[in-house]
Amino acid sequence: MPLKFKLVFTKSRTLKWLACLVVLAVTLRIPVLMVNRIAWRTHPVTNKTSPYLAIVNKDYWYKIGDILNRVFVINVTYVTMVACVLILSFKLYQSSKARHSLSVKTPQSTGQSSDTPGAPTLTSRDLQVIKSVTLICTIFVVAQLPYVVSALVRLLSPENDGRVLLLLMFISINGTCSYLNASVNIFVYYNYNAKYRSMFRSLLWAPVDNVKKNYTEKPQH
């Protein structure tokens, strides 16, 4: 099955997925919201009844929310991300192999469209997109691994019996990996996206160009 990003990520599908994500995000916050309830209390002096925000079953609902948000969702998204990386890598390998075999068989038709059965259906731009997305997903998978491990440790050992230092170590490593993930992505976009590279260069050299422009336009006395 050819992997066409323009056919997969359509406008209607994107809007539907965004709506589903919003509903899912609100649903996952329900356990935390269930902790707070409006209750009534009577003032001992004035004997007046007034509403206040009460906390009910805090440990129970926080535990459910912790399992849902920090264990279940994290592991499901992590497994999904790994599966996507494997699929993208397989598609990239399959397309490059097909391109190589086609170029060996018909070297004179390189760069032209071909109706030969089994010819690659991915363009050079599609391959660049797949490479960049695969690399970004791989970086994310590696960066999120310490957090997934710490979440599993918290699930398997909720009492933290002798594993506090190990948990703190994974939390520190996870923070470092998160910063590295965010800082490395800019270089991936710069390498694979020509439009992003052009805009980045223009923003980077804009102050220098302004200084040169002001210097050249300065009247000579």
Side-chain angles (χ1 to χ4, degrees), residues 148-185:
V148 173
V149 174
S150 62
L152 291 176
V153 170
R154 292 171 65 253
L155 177 64
L156 299 176
S157 180
E159 302 299 331
N160 294 327
D161 49 347
R163 297 182 176 87
V164 178
L165 294 178
L166 179 63
L167 184 61
L168 292 176
M169 181 183 68
F170 274 110
I171 292 176
S172 301
I173 295 175
N174 174 63
T176 304
C177 291
S178 298
Y179 288 119
L180 289 176
N181 178 33
S183 59
V184 168
N185 285 343

Side-chain angles (χ1 to χ4, degrees), residues 15-172:
L15 293 176
K16 291 178 181 178
W17 275 106
L18 288 176
C20 292
L21 290 176
V22 170
V23 174
L24 179 62
V26 174
T27 304
L28 291 174
R29 298 301 296 177
I30 290 179
V32 179
L33 298 176
M34 291 296 294
V35 174
N36 298 319
R37 297 182 183 179
I38 298 178
W40 297 87
R41 61 184 174 186
T42 303
H43 197 275
V45 178
T46 61
N47 201 25
K48 291 183 178 180
T49 304
S50 59
Y52 75 101
L53 193 62
I55 299 178
V56 182
N57 297 329
K58 177 181 177 181
D59 296 335
Y60 173 76
W61 288 111
Y62 274 11
K63 185 177 181 180
I64 294 179
D66 187 71
I67 293 175
L68 285 176
N69 293 283
R70 296 189 177 183
V71 178
F72 177 75
V73 175
I74 292 298
N75 284 278
V76 169
T77 54
Y78 190 80
V79 172
T80 303
M81 185 69 70
V82 172
C84 291
V85 170
L86 294 178
I87 293 174
L88 288 172
S89 301
F90 175 74
K91 288 293 181 180
L92 186 62
Y93 170 77
Q94 193 178 38
S95 179
S96 61
K97 186 177 180 181
R99 278 175 172 267
H100 178 70
S101 61
L102 184 64
S103 62
V104 171
K105 292 180 181 179
T106 56
Q108 69 279 4
S109 61
T110 303
Q112 299 179 358
S113 60
S114 175
D115 297 331
T116 306
T121 57
L122 296 179
T123 63
S124 299
R125 186 174 182 179
D126 292 330
L127 290 176
Q128 288 292 97
V129 173
I130 294 177
K131 287 180 181 179
S132 61
V133 173
T134 303
L135 185 55
I136 291 173
C137 292
T138 303
I139 295 173
F140 178 80
V141 167
V142 175
Q144 284 294 109
L145 183 59
Y147 186 85
V148 173
V149 174
S150 62
L152 291 176
V153 170
R154 292 171 65 253
L155 177 64
L156 299 176
S157 180
E159 302 299 331
N160 294 327
D161 49 347
R163 297 182 176 87
V164 178
L165 294 178
L166 179 63
L167 184 61
L168 292 176
M169 181 183 68
F170 274 110
I171 292 176
S172 301

